[in-house]
Amino acid sequence: MSTDTAALDAAEWAAACRGRTRDLLAGLGRAPGLLRTDPGAAARALDESLAREIPALLDGEEWTRLHTLLTACLGEYLISVHGARWTWLEDSASPVGGRWVVTGFTRPPARRTAAVDVGALVGDALASEPSVGLTALAGRAERAAGVRVVHG
């Protein structure tokens, strides 16, 4: 996302992502908290909206906006469905010294899971696919994390 991510703490980062998803859903005429109350319905609503945006046709600013929104929405989806959380992972290869990942998946319980670099996953999809939807991204993230794929 465009802010200096290294200067933010996890609570600030999570609040910013939650705010972006709430604003986006409200702008689509949906309940702002839909990603928390009904993640499946929110994913479908966002997919309908995002299906009209083709990453290859977006300029730099529009692409960045879409990347930012998808990253926030995907993170919020994983948090809502799987009880995960945002965490700053230090990475000396990163220009800002690290990256935000989603980790700590608690659902399903007693299962070993991996952190998911949501921003990288979204960036890869935007760079290589004609259209990108939250439902497909969620499936990839869930597989990368090692949690079962559940969409409802």
Side-chain angles (χ1 to χ4, degrees):
M1 300 200 174
S2 60
T3 1
D4 180 8
T5 55
L8 296 176
D9 71 17
E12 290 172 334
W13 180 259
C17 289
R18 196 168 33 259
R20 285 184 180 95
T21 62
R22 293 177 68 81
D23 291 348
L24 177 58
L25 286 165
L28 295 173
R30 304 295 179 132
L34 191 60
L35 252 170
R36 291 291 175 132
T37 60
D38 190 346
R44 288 187 297 277
L46 291 167
D47 284 350
E48 290 171 14
S49 171
L50 295 171
R52 294 184 292 272
E53 298 202 42
I54 300 172
L57 301 178
L58 301 178
D59 68 20
E61 187 175 309
E62 291 170 327
W63 190 94
T64 300
R65 181 189 65 76
L66 182 57
H67 182 273
T68 298
L69 290 173
L70 280 171
T71 298
C73 290
L74 181 55
E76 282 298 297
Y77 179 90
L78 295 171
I79 290 164
S80 295
V81 173
H82 298 290
R85 68 182 182 282
W86 285 105
T87 301
W88 179 255
L89 181 65
E90 291 187 11
D91 180 358
S92 61
S94 167
V96 294
R99 53 200 157 94
W100 287 103
V101 298
V102 175
T103 190
F105 294 84
T106 60
R107 293 184 290 271
R111 184 176 219 162
R112 180 177 291 236
T113 60
V116 178
D117 187 340
V118 174
L121 194 146
V122 169
D124 291 347
L126 288 173
S128 63
E129 298 175 24
S131 70
V132 178
L134 185 59
T135 303
L137 288 170
R140 288 183 201 147
E142 289 169 328
R143 285 188 294 279
V147 296
R148 69 176 171 248
V149 178
V150 177
H151 299 288

